[in-house]
């Protein structure tokens, strides 16, 4: 199993990476979201949302779920503070 850290990269690159690691294309991902979650099947609309980084958090969650990932927020505070 692999973990992927989102690190201030364009959202489209991050989603593309996750999609590719699942052996899928963005089009296949959208088809899955359309069938499973009732998303619009408009690829240009989906692609523009990714490109313009205008996805809602709930949409990122749905994408992660469709690709069988979970979103985890990890506590990164330093505990060695004096």
């Amino acid at each position: 199993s692999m973990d992927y850290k989102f690190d201030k990269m364009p959202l489209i690159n991050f989603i593309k990476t996750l999609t590719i690691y699942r052996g899928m294309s963005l089009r296949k991902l959208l088809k899955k979201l359309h069938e499973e979650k009732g998303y619009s099947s408009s690829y240009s609309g989906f692609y523009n949302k990714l490109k313009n980084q205008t996805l809602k958090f709930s949409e990122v969650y749905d994408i992660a779920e469709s690709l069988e990932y979970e979103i985890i927020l990890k506590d990164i505070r330093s505990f060695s503070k004096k």
Side-chain angles (χ1 to χ4, degrees), residues 4-11 13-15 17 53 76:
Y4 302 99
K5 183 179 176 189
F6 180 77
D7 209 1
K8 289 190 183 143
M9 66 177 76
L11 190 58
N13 295 356
F14 188 68
I15 302 292
T17 300
Q53 307 202 81
I76 56 168

Side-chain angles (χ1 to χ4, degrees), residues 10-23:
L11 190 58
I12 189 166
N13 295 356
F14 188 68
I15 302 292
K16 265 186 184 171
T17 300
L18 297 179
T19 305
I20 289 164
Y21 278 119
R22 287 291 188 243

